Amino acid sequence: MKQGTTIITLDNGYHLWTNTQGQGDIQLLCLHGGPGGNHEYWENFGEELSDLGVQVSMYDQLGSWYSDQPDYSDPEIAKKYLTYDYFLDEVEEVRQKLGLDNFYLIGQSWGGALTMMYALKYGQHLKGAIISSMVDNIEEYVVNVNKCREEALPADAVAYMKQKEAEGNWDDPQYQKYVDVLNAGYVDRKQPASIRHLINTTATPVYNAFQGDNEFVITGKLKEWDIRDQIHNIKVPTLLTFGEHETMPLASARRMARDIPNSRLVTTPNGGHHHMIDNAPVYFDHLKQFIRDVEDGSFNQK
């Protein structure tokens, strides 16, 4: 497979930024979160997994920073492309255009939701699935993020946030300061400078449509996310990896590990939602052990 950056043209005419790193027979495709984030926390995966002979591919989903950004203010475009089905089938089209098969799929947060859906619909193409910091329903997530902010902030700050949310006053400076405190505690605990930008690179129309203003409220399409009754049908070897200090509820992760037949749950100490950055050595140890075990046929014995 071609190394480096390739712009692929989808059948719908839009273009996606893709990048492939590393040499070897093991293939890994990475799905970023958001929705509306980008690939950047995958950039070192080729280097980290090089000793296993893993070829790592990543891409920015439609609307994200390095790929085409449709005019989502057009209701017809938004209706067509801001859907679960669109982003799921986009993964399959990217797989085809990159020539991947019998591959590993890793998804972070929203990308983890896509990974679950992909394993259910297109699992015949997968050797293994890695669900990084994503649960199978949003109801339990909301309970947990409310608990997080009650633990992290004084009662008057929580009340202030709820008031601004009820008003829809998302741009309130004090409200956003509280969001920053929560992000530092549960999302990006390490606060890495390496993936910061001079401007906000989030695809806000995509993020707002699915999530809302920030990680601690759900006002968009993700309110309907619930596949608890389906995950038992994921048959491929599956790694569930979560930070121990993050937005996603670990109780839900433990239940998922029981419900997905061929799965393993690992957690990263001192890790928030982006635990591949917060505690990279532990995160990669878990990921590499999973790949080794699947490759040598011992995963079922774990």
Side-chain angles (χ1 to χ4, degrees):
M1 187 185 299
K2 179 184 175 183
Q3 299 291 297
T5 296
T6 300
I7 306 299
I8 63 173
T9 303
L10 299 174
D11 293 345
N12 59 29
Y14 288 116
H15 303 88
L16 299 186
W17 180 98
T18 78
N19 183 274
T20 297
Q21 305 171 5
Q23 302 286 343
D25 296 329
I26 303 171
Q27 297 173 321
L28 174 68
L29 178 63
C30 306
L31 306 179
H32 66 70
N38 63 49
H39 70 280
E40 289 173 331
Y41 40 60
W42 306 124
E43 288 178 345
N44 65 334
F45 272 57
E47 179 178 289
E48 292 283 352
L49 301 176
S50 61
D51 57 329
L52 296 185
V54 179
Q55 190 172 67
V56 179
S57 297
M58 64 202 78
Y59 72 98
D60 277 12
Q61 297 158 24
L62 186 66
S64 290
W65 186 245
Y66 293 94
S67 292
D68 277 355
Q69 298 162 18
D71 180 8
Y72 294 116
S73 67
D74 182 328
E76 290 303 312
I77 291 177
K79 181 180 178 181
K80 184 174 183 180
Y81 293 111
L82 292 178
T83 70
Y84 288 96
D85 287 343
Y86 169 72
F87 283 106
L88 172 59
D89 291 337
E90 181 185 83
V91 179
E92 172 59 8
E93 186 172 355
V94 169
R95 177 198 73 80
Q96 293 176 19
K97 293 192 182 303
L98 293 181
L100 302 175
D101 210 355
N102 196 31
F103 70 106
Y104 293 89
L105 183 65
I106 184 171
Q108 167 67 22
S109 194
W110 156 253
L114 292 175
T115 297
M116 289 181 238
M117 291 189 288
Y118 190 91
L120 289 166
K121 184 174 182 180
Y122 298 107
Q124 71 271 21
H125 298 296
L126 292 179
K127 183 182 288 187
I130 302 104
I131 300 165
S132 182
S133 292
M134 186 62 190
V135 292
D136 55 3
N137 75 96
I138 216 65
E139 179 183 4
E140 294 170 346
Y141 170 84
V142 170
V143 171
N144 195 63
V145 291
N146 285 335
K147 179 182 176 184
C148 287
R149 70 177 179 179
E150 287 169 1
E151 291 176 349
L153 297 172
D156 60 339
V158 174
Y160 187 90
M161 292 190 76
K162 290 180 177 179
Q163 177 187 343
K164 296 305 171 185
E165 288 162 6
E167 296 170 357
N169 188 5
W170 308 108
D171 295 329
D172 178 80
Q174 185 59 53
Y175 177 86
Q176 290 299 328
K177 285 181 181 178
Y178 290 141
V179 171
D180 290 342
V181 171
L182 294 170
N183 283 336
Y186 298 99
V187 181
D188 291 306
R189 289 171 63 84
K190 197 172 180 179
Q191 296 285 290
S194 58
I195 59 172
R196 291 182 182 176
H197 293 264
L198 297 177
I199 60 171
N200 182 11
T201 60
T202 302
T204 51
V206 184
Y207 186 79
N208 293 161
F210 282 89
Q211 174 83 16
D213 176 77
N214 62 79
E215 293 294 283
F216 298 87
V217 292
I218 300 287
T219 58
K221 296 174 186 286
L222 278 168
K223 286 191 294 185
E224 65 199 44
W225 170 250
D226 190 345
I227 60 166
R228 280 175 283 191
D229 62 343
Q230 300 178 49
I231 62 166
H232 67 278
N233 291 316
I234 296 176
K235 304 303 183 186
V236 299
T238 301
L239 179 68
L240 300 157
T241 176
F242 288 74
E244 292 183 2
H245 299 276
E246 71 153 281
T247 54
M248 295 290 166
L250 293 180
S252 301
R254 288 189 285 269
R255 176 188 47 73
M256 290 171 64
R258 294 191 297 268
D259 291 345
I260 299 174
N262 196 14
S263 66
R264 174 189 301 169
L265 171 64
V266 295
T267 61
T268 302
N270 302 315
H273 193 51
H274 292 154
H275 53 299
M276 75 283 283
I277 294 173
D278 292 333
N279 192 344
V282 172
Y283 183 95
F284 283 108
D285 282 348
H286 289 154
L287 178 57
K288 291 164 77 169
Q289 190 61 55
F290 170 72
I291 294 173
R292 287 192 195 99
D293 291 345
V294 175
E295 290 296 310
D296 67 20
S298 66
F299 181 73
N300 288 335
Q301 302 168 19
K302 296 292 180 179

